[in-house]
Amino acid sequence: MKGITLLALSIFSTAFLSFTPINKKYIVIDAGHGGNDFGATHGEIREKNISLSVAKEIQKINESQDKYEIILTRDSDSYPTLSERTAQINKLNPEMVISLHVNTSPEKERSDNGFEIYTQNSDVSKELAGKIYKKFNARKISESNLHILRETKAPAVLVELGFINNSENRNYITSEKGQKEIAQKFVEIINEY
């Protein structure tokens, strides 16, 4: 009887101690546009594809991290509406939201280049924007009333990854090397959070 009790206690202890409570923390990466909404374009190059590729790369690189689980608002060429995106985000209650986009200038080949970051009117959003600004040597940060920023309850930023009509930016953000470097930097920022 004593042996059975010890065995049962041992099995219970092993099962109990190996149980780790699920306390997942989420980061949402919003790949801008999608489906029939191409976003900014340059010939056959479309913003929706660039933002999705970078979002997937962030998720892939982050898989080896334990701190956060990366959730994408879209993982294919679909178009969840802005309201659907923010409803999904608010339901998850993530630690932060990064919405990825690509900029364009009014003229054909302008000299505008680099990252631009838009924030909510919150200290946490502005702090996150500051980290992105430094990591990417961005050209500006400004507060904005864009839907994804206004309707998201979690700290959120919208990041323009460069200008599609600037050949240097375009070549970098459409290259596999450029997308991996951008994604790696975002993962570093996320895991410093």
Side-chain angles (χ1 to χ4, degrees):
M1 181 70 178
K2 187 176 178 189
I4 294 172
T5 306
L6 284 173
L7 179 62
L9 188 59
S10 174
I11 292 169
F12 172 78
S13 296
T14 305
F16 182 78
L17 293 173
S18 66
F19 172 75
T20 50
I22 297 172
N23 189 11
K24 287 210 185 230
K25 291 186 176 181
Y26 300 108
I27 304 291
V28 172
I29 305 296
D30 172 49
H33 307 282
N36 291 330
D37 178 2
F38 297 169
T41 60
H42 184 86
E44 293 299 308
I45 299 168
R46 297 175 174 157
E47 175 180 1
K48 69 174 186 169
N49 298 331
I50 297 167
S51 64
L52 181 60
S53 292
V54 173
K56 285 180 163 182
E57 194 62 40
I58 292 169
Q59 187 178 46
K60 183 177 162 190
I61 292 171
N62 193 71
E63 281 173 357
S64 61
Q65 309 291 326
D66 292 332
K67 196 169 179 182
Y68 299 111
E69 182 178 343
I70 303 286
I71 306 289
L72 306 181
T73 55
R74 68 181 182 95
D75 60 4
S76 63
D77 188 17
S78 59
Y79 180 74
T81 66
L82 292 173
S83 296
E84 288 168 345
R85 290 173 201 243
T86 51
Q88 175 192 7
I89 290 165
N90 291 334
K91 188 176 175 185
L92 280 171
N93 191 26
E95 301 297 307
M96 74 173 85
V97 178
I98 300 172
S99 185
L100 303 176
H101 291 264
V102 177
N103 224 333
T104 188
S105 303
E107 295 171 22
K108 204 87 170 126
E109 280 290 329
R110 292 266 316 261
S111 59
D112 285 344
N113 75 84
F115 279 53
E116 292 185 349
I117 307 147
Y118 297 93
T119 71
Q120 300 164 312
N121 181 16
S122 79
D123 290 342
V124 183
S125 175
K126 289 174 183 174
E127 183 184 332
L128 174 58
K131 289 180 181 189
I132 295 168
Y133 180 88
K134 282 184 190 159
K135 185 72 83 173
F136 289 100
N137 194 22
R139 64 194 303 254
K140 78 173 190 177
I141 297 176
S142 61
E143 197 177 302
S144 180
N145 192 31
L146 296 164
H147 180 94
I148 198 94
L149 300 176
R150 183 181 63 247
E151 301 301 324
T152 297
K153 293 177 180 141
V157 293
L158 185 145
V159 182
E160 299 279 3
L161 302 173
F163 286 78
I164 203 164
N165 58 337
N166 174 296
S167 57
E168 190 179 321
N169 283 190
R170 182 176 62 253
N171 292 339
Y172 183 67
I173 61 179
T174 57
S175 73
E176 187 178 334
K177 178 182 185 280
Q179 290 179 358
K180 283 185 182 203
E181 286 176 4
I182 291 167
Q184 180 61 48
K185 287 181 180 181
F186 274 116
V187 170
E188 288 166 12
I189 292 163
I190 287 164
N191 286 290
E192 288 167 6
Y193 191 73

